Each structure stands twice: as structure tokens, then as C-alpha cells.
Amino acid sequence: MKKIKLTLFGKIVFTLLFLFLIIILKSILLNKKDNITIISDYNNLNNSTNEFIVNTSETDKEIINTFFAKGMNVDDFKKIYYQSSNYVDNSGNYKNIEYDFDNKLHYSEIEDMLYNLNNSDIVKLEIIGKSVDNRNIYGIEVGKGDKIIYIDANIHAAEIANTLILMKYIIDIVNSYELNDLSIIDALNTYKIVAIPTMNPDGYEVYNFGVESLNNKNLWWYQNRNTYNFENIKSNANGVDLNRNFPTQNAGLYYKEKSLINSVSLEKTTKSSTYFGGYTLGSEPETKAAMYFMLKHYKNTTLYINMHSQGRVIYAGKPNLSDEFNKITKSFANNISSVSGYTVYGLNSEEVGEGNDGSVTDFMSELANGFKFSSITGRLTTNKYIDNSCKLVYSYPVITMETIKTYTTDPSIFKKEYYDIKIKEVLYSLIEE
């Protein structure tokens, strides 16, 4: 057999090709080892997002008076949709947690409890994002069942009661599981509690312990500390009301036939009675973290409760969504009311197209009704703003539950709500057959 002789140029080319192949193989092996997925072209990934993201928009655009917030950039939305799970490793054996609203807790103390909870084999703790002041935002999963009970709290800074109420509930559940309570073990084989105890951790810390709790003194809150009313804060540390920042169909706009509701500001404000939802929808890291967790779990959700802290009322229903959705939502709200005595507010208490849209319950409700994300509008979308053709796709109710009478940092009031006003009974009823 005749040997092939390479010229000097050929040897150089061959060597370079060989080195290039080694580099490529090394890169593949390293990425596999570190469980890293490199996304270079979103459009060539799986079909689920191609089905969820559409390039259409509503046909009745003429009803809109003003768009005052930009839609979310489609690539930013895709990053959330494809965000990898970031579960926290167990750090040791579970230790029974003794907490009964004994005192105020720093956010770091809540984190310590979450990390201890994560040592139970029934718990998975995930860091789902960061706040603007660089605090971790946590999502927690408790249970092994397929039926998801989704609850979140403290999207508004001053509404801290439910962080401690929700933590107490989770602690009680996990303590009982670890003590081999058969009823809880059975329940957690059927259900999974999915929760974000604190959606606005900077707000939680500042409302409890003052603006000096901020690490970054360049943030908007700190820069405006002398004129801002911290007794009634709703926004995050950037001055954005997270509960108006979600990219829902009617967020950041209002209709010609309606006036802008007077609680909404189109600019950042230090006024305690008006709230600013952001110049761009989905702009805030806390919003992105909540969106990620909802998009991860909504298809298996059986009910959703967004917990607030003012008035002992329940908001149930969305006028722009399907009758079937509103029927199951109202029924669920009435069931909770029968236990807690909270007043149920229906469709007449919900504003649509008055500049007040873009809430977390809007987002979760529109997901239930089969809305897609539009690359054109930068919002969840259906065929029309008014008289749309949406239908219930995922059959779960969505409510806002307002606990306690008004804002406070006094945990003894939260304790009374948990026991005497029967919020504990409400929460336990969620995992009963």
C-alpha cells in the first residue's frame, strides 16, 4: 500500500483540524458534566415554546386609548421559559422547627428555616431568582403528589403577614410528616404544595426593619428615603409595583371608554396612594422569578391563592375571562369564606382596561384560559381585548385572599389570624380529599 505524504501546509491544516476537534469534544464533555444547556437559537428548540409564543395580536386594537408600558421583549420571555431549575442541595438531617409567631423574623432567619425544611425528603427548595437588592427568592415544593396547591405571598412590601402565615403552615406540615403523621403522609402523596413565601424580599426586610436594611444604597427607595412613606409601601426597591408589572393582555394600557384609575401612576412616585407598574412589563427580577415558577407549575395546578394583607376579603373572578373559569373561582372563594368568614368580592370589583391590570392573578388566570405570549404585543394574548374567545384549558381557580385588617409588623396579629380566624383550617382544607 502506498503511503500518503503530506506537504508542510497539509500537516499544518491537519494539526489545526485535530486541535479544533479536541476543543469541541472537551467543551461538550464539560457542559455535560456541569449539566449546562447552551441555548444559541431559541427557535430551534422544542416545539412547546413555538406553540406558546405566537406572532399575532388582538384584532380590536382600536379600543385602546393609551399604551403606557412597553410589552416584554420576547427574548427576555424565552429566557424565563427556558430557565433551568436551581434546586438547593440538602445540608444535613431535618430538625423539628419550633416557631409559633413568637417574634418578627429577619429575612435571613426565614432563609435558615427554608434550608432546614429542605433537609426533609418531602421538600425541594429552589432559588428561583434574585431581588433588586440581591436577596435570593425561593420557591418551595412540599409533597410528592401530582395535584399542585400553588400559594404565594408578600408581592406588596408592606403585606408581610402572609409570609409568616405561609411559613407556619409549611413548617407545621413538614413537622407532622417527619413525625410520621399518616394523614399528612397520605395527603402529600396526592398533593404537592408549591409556594413562594416572599415574592418581594427587599420589601419584607425594609418594612420590618427599616430602609437601612438595604445593601445597595443606590436603589430608588434609599435615594428617596426622606420623602417616601414606608408605612404603606407596595413596590419593590426600584419603586415598581410588582403586582402591575406582569405581561398580561391588558397590562400597561387603558381603554378609550374608561379613565385611568386614580391609584395608578405613569411615573415613579413617592405618594403612598398611587402605584407605578414599570415602564416595561416584566422588567423587575422579582416579576421574572414569579413568572418562571408559575410557568413551571401551572399545567398541574389545581388551585392558586395569591395572599395579600388588607381587609379580610377575597377577590374572585376576571370579567375578561371565561364563564367556566369565573364559576369555579367563585365557588372556591365561597368555600374559603365559609370557613374564615372573609367577604367575597366578585366580577363587579375587578377593573379591566383602567390601567390597573398586570397583576400576578391576571397572569395565572390567563394561563388557565389558554392565553399565549405574543411577540408582537409583548403580553399574553388572545383574539380580542373585549368579548374574546378564550376558554378554560387548565381547570383551576385563582383568587386573591386578603388576610388581617390592615398592615402591621406585629406577629401576634398574624397568630390570631392563623388560629382564631381559621386560616390554618383554610390552608389544611386545601390538601383534603
Side-chain angles (χ1 to χ4, degrees):
M1 186 174 180
K2 195 172 182 180
K3 292 183 179 180
I4 299 173
K5 292 184 180 181
L6 294 175
T7 63
L8 178 60
F9 177 77
K11 289 179 180 179
I12 292 171
V13 171
F14 179 83
T15 302
L16 289 173
L17 286 171
F18 183 74
L19 290 172
F20 179 74
L21 286 171
I22 290 175
I23 292 169
I24 292 296
L25 287 170
K26 186 177 180 181
S27 175
I28 292 170
L29 289 171
L30 283 173
N31 286 333
K32 186 176 181 180
K33 179 181 177 182
D34 294 334
N35 197 28
I36 296 171
T37 302
I38 297 176
I39 300 176
S40 58
D41 183 358
Y42 292 117
N43 294 323
N44 291 328
L45 292 169
N46 62 51
N47 290 328
S48 63
T49 301
N50 291 336
E51 294 170 357
F52 192 82
I53 298 177
V54 296
N55 61 356
T56 57
S57 61
E58 285 70 16
T59 58
D60 54 346
K61 300 174 189 176
E62 68 281 356
I63 72 161
I64 304 300
N65 185 325
T66 301
F67 285 88
F68 58 85
K70 293 180 181 178
M72 189 174 192
N73 180 278
V74 66
D75 284 334
D76 287 341
F77 183 85
K78 287 176 180 178
K79 287 175 185 176
I80 297 168
Y81 196 93
Y82 281 112
Q83 183 174 320
S84 298
S85 297
N86 186 19
Y87 288 109
V88 176
D89 291 335
N90 294 351
S91 58
N93 296 322
Y94 181 78
K95 296 178 181 178
N96 193 71
I97 299 175
E98 300 291 341
Y99 177 72
D100 198 27
F101 305 98
D102 311 299
N103 47 266
K104 292 196 296 185
L105 297 177
H106 282 282
Y107 189 65
S108 60
E109 294 176 283
I110 291 173
E111 288 184 294
D112 290 342
M113 288 181 173
L114 289 169
Y115 276 77
N116 186 22
L117 287 164
N118 191 50
N119 289 326
S120 171
D121 67 359
I122 205 68
V123 173
K124 293 176 72 175
L125 182 67
E126 183 174 3
I127 299 171
I128 60 174
K130 295 271 190 180
S131 71
V132 293
D133 200 31
N134 205 37
R135 289 178 174 84
N136 286 338
I137 303 172
Y138 297 94
I140 188 168
E141 303 170 20
V142 181
K144 300 177 181 178
D146 296 327
K147 297 180 179 180
I148 288 178
I149 309 298
Y150 196 119
I151 311 172
D152 50 35
N154 190 214
I155 194 168
H156 285 147
E159 301 178 26
I160 59 149
N162 298 306
T163 293
L164 299 186
I165 287 173
L166 191 48
M167 285 297 298
K168 174 62 176 171
Y169 170 56
I170 292 170
I171 287 167
D172 285 351
I173 291 286
V174 177
N175 280 347
S176 296
Y177 171 84
E178 290 292 328
L179 292 171
N180 293 316
D181 183 322
L182 294 181
S183 64
I184 293 298
I185 291 171
D186 287 345
L188 295 181
N189 281 326
T190 301
Y191 293 97
K192 181 184 292 183
I193 301 162
V194 169
I196 307 176
T198 310
M199 303 174 78
N200 186 353
D202 303 337
Y204 173 89
E205 191 71 8
V206 167
Y207 187 68
N208 272 300
F209 301 104
V211 72
E212 294 298 331
S213 303
L214 288 174
N215 301 307
N216 183 354
K217 307 304 184 189
N218 293 317
L219 289 171
W220 190 83
W221 265 357
Y222 195 82
Q223 293 296 309
N224 291 274
R225 65 193 180 281
N226 295 325
T227 55
Y228 200 86
N229 178 9
F230 286 97
E231 294 182 0
N232 191 33
I233 51 175
K234 286 201 172 187
S235 72
N236 70 349
N238 276 341
V240 175
D241 180 356
L242 301 172
N243 208 35
R244 304 292 179 271
N245 190 238
F246 288 81
T248 63
Q249 184 186 46
N250 291 291
L253 59 85
Y254 61 96
Y255 296 170
K256 289 180 180 178
E257 64 179 22
K258 299 182 179 181
S259 300
L260 183 69
I261 199 166
N262 47 10
S263 62
V264 174
S265 174
L266 304 188
E267 301 289 338
K268 287 190 180 182
T269 177
T270 58
K271 294 180 181 179
S272 61
S273 59
T274 54
Y275 309 103
F276 169 68
Y279 298 113
T280 302
L281 301 175
S283 59
E284 303 308 293
E286 297 92 343
T287 308
K288 291 181 172 74
M291 287 174 60
Y292 157 72
F293 214 50
M294 285 186 286
L295 288 166
K296 181 175 184 177
H297 291 294
Y298 79 96
K299 290 182 179 180
N300 294 315
T301 291
T302 59
L303 62 91
Y304 173 81
I305 302 175
N306 178 229
M307 298 181 77
H308 289 249
S309 305
Q310 194 175 32
R312 290 180 178 160
V313 299
I314 301 169
Y315 293 96
K318 301 289 182 182
N320 58 323
L321 299 183
S322 65
D323 291 341
E324 187 181 1
F325 168 77
N326 287 317
K327 182 179 179 180
I328 65 169
T329 292
K330 185 68 176 294
S331 175
F332 177 57
N334 287 336
N335 289 340
I336 289 180
S337 175
S338 68
V339 178
S340 66
Y342 286 4
T343 301
V344 175
Y345 288 156
L347 297 180
N348 292 336
S349 298
E350 291 283 337
E351 305 100 2
V352 175
E354 296 178 56
N356 206 29
D357 304 271
S359 71
V360 63
T361 55
D362 288 337
F363 192 80
M364 197 64 164
S365 298
E366 290 179 10
L367 291 178
N369 281 270
F371 281 45
K372 314 283 186 169
F373 183 85
S374 169
S375 60
I376 305 299
T377 66
R379 298 161 169 80
L380 294 183
T381 188
T382 185
N383 62 316
K384 292 181 179 180
Y385 291 102
I386 295 177
D387 297 328
N388 63 58
S389 62
C390 70
K391 295 180 181 179
L392 190 61
V393 178
Y394 300 99
S395 187
Y396 57 82
V398 174
I399 65 168
T400 297
M401 184 168 71
E402 301 261 9
T403 64
I404 72 173
K405 290 183 179 180
T406 190
Y407 308 144
T408 179
T409 62
D410 183 356
S412 68
I413 293 176
F414 313 156
K415 183 174 184 176
K416 179 175 180 174
E417 202 78 8
Y418 190 68
Y419 293 110
D420 298 348
I421 312 299
K422 298 183 179 181
I423 294 305
K424 177 181 180 179
E425 188 176 332
V426 166
L427 294 173
Y428 270 81
S429 71
L430 304 178
I431 56 172
E432 294 175 356
E433 290 287 5

